[in-house]
Every structure is written in C-alpha cells, then in structure tokens.
C-alpha cells in the first residue's frame, strides 16, 4: 500500500533541541519513528515477522551516517505501523495517554479528510496510482472516513488504509512534532524529508536533525 515513513524523527523543540542519543523505530515496509531520548538496545522482532523486515537496521544506520547514538527498534508491518511508532515514541516522553492510541490517531486523521482530499484519492485510484487500492468501493467522503478508521491489527494490513503524507501532516500538526522521513527507495542528497507542524521554524539545508 502507500509508502509509510521509513524513518521518522520527532521532537517538540525541533529548532533548538541539542543533539542527544536517538532511538529509532523501524516498521516495514517503510515506517519508523525516532525521538531524542536515552539510547537503548534494539528490541527483537516478533516471531513470524522476520521475513517482513525490508528496512534493515544497517541500511537505516547508514542513511543516518552510522551514528553510534542511534538504535533501531522494529515495528511489525501491520498497517498501523506509523501510528504505533508515534504512540510508542510519545509515550516514552510523557507516559502513555489515551489520545496517543492508534484508534484515536486514526479518528483524528479521518476527521480532517475533506471532500477535496476524497476527490484527489478518487482520481489517483482511477489512474491506478500505487497505494490507492483501498479506494475500491469507496463512493463517498463518509465512506472514506470509515475506511481510515479500520485498524490493520484487527482486519489485516491489506484491508486498512496505511498512513500517507496527508495522515503524517495531520499527526505532526496535532501533536506539534517534527517528522523526519527516510525512504530507502529514493536516493537524494538529504538524508530525510521533513514534515513539520504548522508554525515550526525553517529546516536547515544540510538535512540534519
């Protein structure tokens, strides 16, 4: 389905945060989240998911300059991987809160979908764009909102809507976090793409956190 984030760094003080040990969450096919906090060893993947780990820690580390302060945690490619990474990272900062839960994040994204977004998704589906198969049978804005609420953990990955750029922007704006997205399929000079909350300061040209 649509490309999730491969590597995402998030912190609430993106403009002035000092360089600190970073823990990175990687959720194949392409979803992860990293926040400035104490370095910790990577957690082993759950049994049965090793064949799904397309984003290897070595590749992620290389893209981040082989920084010794970066550790990698994997999150299963279940369709909720981006939201699970956000929930895990935010919970480590302030402790778990009900509004960090995947279901609440999906409700937030669904509520922000407009008719313009629905029309765009319809067009992309009609053009057979990659990642929009979920629009099959979706014939209204409300139907799309209901589809976004479907969780991969409950209905299997191919039956839910994976987080895309729109969803990431909604989450970044709501929680006031900066997301740094690494897509290993794209080789560019910058190590990641920034998705900043509204009102955040301009990114540096170097692409460094």
């Amino acid at each position: 389905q649509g490309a999730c984030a491969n590597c995402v760094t998030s912190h609430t003080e993106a403009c002035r945060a000092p360089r600190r040990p970073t823990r990175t969450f990687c959720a194949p096919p392409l979803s992860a989240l990293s926040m400035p906090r104490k370095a910790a060893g990577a957690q082993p993947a759950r049994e049965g998911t090793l064949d799904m780990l397309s984003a290897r820690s070595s590749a992620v580390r290389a893209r981040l300059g082989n920084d010794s302060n970066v550790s990698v945690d994997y999150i299963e490619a279940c369709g909720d991987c981006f939201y699970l990474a956000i929930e895990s990272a935010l919970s480590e900062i302030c402790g778990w809160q009900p509004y960090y839960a995947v279901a609440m994040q999906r409700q937030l994204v669904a509520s922000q979908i407009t008719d313009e977004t629905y029309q765009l998704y319809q067009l992309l589906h009609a053009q057979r764009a990659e990642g929009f198969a979920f629009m099959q049978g979706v014939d209204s804005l409300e139907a799309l909102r209901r589809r976004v609420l479907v969780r991969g953990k409950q209905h299997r990955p191919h039956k839910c809507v994976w987080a895309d750029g729109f969803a990431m922007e909604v989450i970044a704006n709501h929680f006031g976090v900066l997301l740094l997205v690494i897509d290993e399929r794209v080789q560019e000079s910058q190590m990641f793409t920034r998705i900043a909350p509204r009102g955040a300061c301009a990114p540096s040209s170097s692409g460094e956190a």
Side-chain angles (χ1 to χ4, degrees):
Q1 199 133 268
C4 291
N6 183 1
C7 225
V8 184
T9 297
S10 164
H11 49 78
T12 56
E13 296 183 344
C15 303
R16 60 181 183 275
R19 185 170 180 77
R20 289 173 287 178
T22 302
R23 188 175 179 184
T24 299
F25 293 78
C26 282
L30 288 171
S31 182
L33 187 146
S34 153
M35 298 189 73
R37 51 189 175 268
K38 294 181 180 179
Q43 298 297 317
R46 293 198 308 177
E47 184 177 358
T49 65
L50 291 177
D51 58 336
M52 304 175 70
L53 300 181
S54 60
R56 297 178 178 85
S57 62
S58 58
V60 174
R61 289 178 183 278
R63 196 66 178 267
L64 295 174
N66 292 312
D67 192 326
S68 60
N69 288 322
V70 174
S71 61
V72 179
D73 285 4
Y74 286 106
I75 295 176
E76 182 183 2
C78 61
D80 296 326
C81 44
F82 172 78
Y83 300 112
L84 286 168
I86 292 288
E87 178 182 1
S88 179
L90 292 178
S91 296
E92 287 195 17
I93 296 298
C94 304
W96 187 84
Q97 302 293 334
Y99 45 86
Y100 293 162
V102 172
M104 296 301 293
Q105 291 185 63
R106 283 189 171 276
Q107 287 184 26
L108 174 64
V109 172
S111 70
Q112 296 299 307
I113 297 175
T114 64
D115 188 64
E116 181 180 2
T117 307
Y118 166 68
Q119 295 294 338
L120 174 61
Y121 282 11
Q122 265 201 328
L123 176 61
L124 292 170
H125 175 61
Q127 295 176 342
R128 298 184 179 181
E130 181 183 0
F132 290 89
F134 65 85
M135 288 297 293
Q136 180 70 37
V138 176
D139 57 4
S140 69
L141 173 59
E142 288 305 315
L144 175 57
R145 288 173 172 167
R146 290 194 297 271
R147 183 65 59 88
V148 169
L149 294 177
V150 173
R151 291 197 55 182
K153 285 282 190 180
Q154 299 171 340
H155 299 277
R156 296 185 294 180
H158 67 280
K159 291 191 175 182
C160 72
V161 181
W162 292 46
D164 59 3
F166 169 79
M168 293 179 194
E169 287 184 7
V170 170
I171 296 300
N173 288 328
H174 181 76
F175 291 109
V177 296
L178 169 66
L179 307 178
L180 304 180
V181 182
I182 291 179
D183 189 340
E184 292 180 79
R185 302 170 303 178
V186 179
Q187 297 298 325
E188 297 181 352
S189 57
Q190 290 191 338
M191 64 176 64
F192 37 61
T193 299
R194 294 171 182 256
I195 300 179
R198 284 189 294 265
C201 64
S204 66
S205 59
S206 64
E208 295 183 354

